[in-house]
Amino acid sequence: MKGMSLDHIRKACRGTFYGDEAALDREVDGVVIDSRQVQDGFLYVAMRGERVDGHRFIPDVFDKGAAAVLSEEVLENPAGPYILVESCPQALKDIAEYYRSTLAIPVVGIAGSVGKTSTKEMIAAVLEQKYCVLKTEGNFNNEIGLPLTLLRIRPEHEAAVVEMGISDFGEMHRLAKMARPDVCVMTNIGQCHLENLIDRDGVLRAKSEIFDYLKPDGVIVLNGNDDKLSAIGEVKGVVPTRYFVCDGSAESSGHTYFVTADSIENHGVRGMDAVLHFHGTHAEDCQIHEPIPGLHNIYNACAAACVGDALGLTHAEICAGIAGAKTIAGRTNLIEANGIVIIDDCYNANPVSMKASLDVLSQTEGRKIAVLGDMGELGKDERALHREVGEYAAGNGIDLVFCTGELSAELAKAASAGCTVWHCENREALLAALRPCIKKGDTILVKASHFMQFSEIVRALKTWAEEDDRES
């Protein structure tokens, strides 16, 4: 961090400082909420969780050299200075908002129902061709994760790419207030968090709160294939920059597109080829190779091309960044182990992303095995939406489906029309059924919402492959 003294922090969160006032001039080197991550000179924010109260670790963090702590409790004889606040979560947001206001670097904010993380990775890979980039790590995209991400920006960073995830109205407004994005990217409007947002129109309204703090000279990047996003016109005087993928999923809506993609070739797990057409003043056609499987990654490449151009990259730099993009664990992450391929896409799921992952699986060689679990927060139509995914698997050339979860029983019934299906009582039973079925040459997709903890299945598959390799 740069220029964040304890006095700045006290004022930003409107807290009361306790301790030697000479310490108010001390600048903190980082902000964390996990006591295990405290280093010398860090600010520790004591958060109350469902199972653990961070206040109990305050003595430990001072032993580790914490510069100060934020506390909701009056402390007796603390070993260092602290700032008393009414709410540590709100104070964290206030501090991040203030810190962001001191930074001159461009911030790219990414919203949407599906593909935020993969789009974030793609945009970061492109921008890294020219800039030192800070990007969201892991799932730090909510009202706790986003401020921690912003507070990780250091003097060497020249751009930041932040993911902004929500599940209810008002959340995106609060995230945007902190991030103040110079570039707003909207990937799509799908069926997610319908318990709170009701329908896709509600999803659109909630996601569009990202524009609440758009700067007058800001940039909006929208997916031109999405019908809901195509309905967005000028926002606060800003004409959106749009991209369009010629994959037959939508017809051109009459908008002007900055980037279009066509001549798409699918190489299964080996990625995608396409031609990007840059329109406008510097029109140019560029052949790209997208190393991450799935048609949806061509969309990500187009979004990254729009952002890269907005931030001054050449077309050559943009295409080089796309070619160098990588995925992360839990997000269409390919693992090759002893003759099998595991598609680790288990971080989260909704109907759109489930179908996209099944599309990737359908393009692979050998037997195609889908290990699927429940999708959460789908509202009153949750059972019908699970059946819809099952029907999609049945018609998409998937050989075997293993699933578990109450809602996935609906998925299993529908998938049985075209696949051999096992619906298991729990994750342990699923693993027991799956183990004897696997053989070399198989490709196995693992996907469910995060609460299903399907990362355990990925771990088991890797372990089995290693054991079989040692025995062979």
Side-chain angles (χ1 to χ4, degrees), residues 204-273:
L204 176 63
R205 290 197 305 276
K207 303 285 186 187
S208 296
E209 292 172 6
I210 193 173
F211 305 137
D212 290 354
Y213 289 91
L214 179 68
K215 297 179 179 179
D217 58 348
V219 175
I220 297 172
V221 175
L222 300 178
N223 173 2
N225 293 66
D226 187 284
D227 59 328
K228 297 297 182 184
L229 296 181
S230 291
I232 295 177
E234 190 175 295
V235 180
K236 296 182 177 178
V238 176
V239 177
T241 299
R242 302 177 193 270
Y243 57 91
F244 187 82
V245 178
C246 303
D247 60 357
S249 66
E251 294 185 4
S252 174
S253 61
H255 289 297
T256 299
Y257 301 107
F258 174 72
V259 172
T260 57
D262 60 16
S263 303
I264 298 167
E265 296 182 22
N266 192 332
H267 301 293
V269 295
R270 304 304 171 193
M272 312 281 295
D273 287 341

Side-chain angles (χ1 to χ4, degrees), residues 46-361:
M47 305 287 276
R48 300 187 194 275
E50 292 182 4
R51 293 176 295 178
V52 178
D53 184 350
H55 290 79
R56 60 185 281 198
F57 302 110
I58 288 175
D60 298 335
V61 302
F62 279 126
D63 289 342
K64 293 181 178 181
V69 301
L70 285 189
S71 172
E72 295 175 5
E73 301 175 356
V74 175
L75 305 180
E76 293 186 11
N77 301 316
Y82 75 99
I83 298 172
L84 181 66
V85 296
E86 184 175 330
S87 165
C88 280
Q90 183 58 50
L92 179 66
K93 287 184 278 192
D94 292 339
I95 294 166
E97 181 183 347
Y98 170 77
Y99 184 55
R100 168 65 182 108
S101 72
T102 70
L103 302 173
I105 69 170
V107 172
V108 181
I110 304 170
S113 298
V114 180
K116 291 186 293 297
T117 299
S118 54
T119 302
K120 175 256 299 181
E121 293 294 320
M122 185 74 71
I123 291 172
V126 166
L127 295 183
E128 283 167 356
Q129 298 295 307
K130 183 173 182 178
Y131 302 112
C132 177
V133 179
L134 183 282
K135 64 182 179 181
T136 300
E137 298 293 344
N139 62 341
F140 277 40
N141 64 1
N142 58 18
E143 291 188 62
I144 299 298
L146 178 65
L148 289 172
T149 297
L150 294 172
L151 291 166
R152 286 178 45 237
I153 296 173
R154 298 291 182 266
E156 64 269 23
H157 291 127
E158 299 168 301
V161 184
V162 298
E163 188 178 329
M164 302 167 71
I166 64 164
S167 60
D168 206 347
F169 294 104
E171 289 181 54
M172 186 64 76
H173 175 91
R174 295 189 290 273
L175 295 178
K177 187 171 185 283
M178 286 184 279
R180 309 277 172 144
D182 300 271
V183 181
C184 297
V185 179
M186 196 89 79
T187 61
N188 46 57
I189 301 299
Q191 296 165 314
C192 62
H193 308 300
L194 299 183
E195 285 183 337
N196 297 322
L197 304 180
I198 310 302
D199 55 22
R200 289 182 68 220
D201 288 328
V203 175
L204 176 63
R205 290 197 305 276
K207 303 285 186 187
S208 296
E209 292 172 6
I210 193 173
F211 305 137
D212 290 354
Y213 289 91
L214 179 68
K215 297 179 179 179
D217 58 348
V219 175
I220 297 172
V221 175
L222 300 178
N223 173 2
N225 293 66
D226 187 284
D227 59 328
K228 297 297 182 184
L229 296 181
S230 291
I232 295 177
E234 190 175 295
V235 180
K236 296 182 177 178
V238 176
V239 177
T241 299
R242 302 177 193 270
Y243 57 91
F244 187 82
V245 178
C246 303
D247 60 357
S249 66
E251 294 185 4
S252 174
S253 61
H255 289 297
T256 299
Y257 301 107
F258 174 72
V259 172
T260 57
D262 60 16
S263 303
I264 298 167
E265 296 182 22
N266 192 332
H267 301 293
V269 295
R270 304 304 171 193
M272 312 281 295
D273 287 341
V275 175
L276 292 190
H277 303 276
F278 292 87
H279 307 287
T281 305
H282 303 289
E284 185 178 5
D285 297 343
C286 296
Q287 176 74 45
I288 64 165
H289 174 68
E290 161 53 62
I292 308 171
L295 177 62
H296 54 284
N297 284 299
I298 298 298
Y299 286 76
N300 299 343
C302 289
C306 293
V307 174
D309 182 85
L311 295 186
L313 274 72
T314 66
H315 297 165
E317 289 171 330
I318 289 168
C319 293
I322 291 169
K326 295 179 175 62
T327 188
I328 60 176
R331 308 284 188 158
T332 322
N333 181 37
L334 297 183
I335 303 167
E336 298 186 51
N338 193 30
I340 67 170
V341 176
I342 305 164
I343 305 175
D344 170 16
D345 202 4
C346 65
Y347 178 73
N348 223 333
N350 60 45
V352 174
S353 65
M354 274 282 199
K355 292 175 184 178
S357 294
L358 289 168
D359 284 339
V360 172
L361 180 62

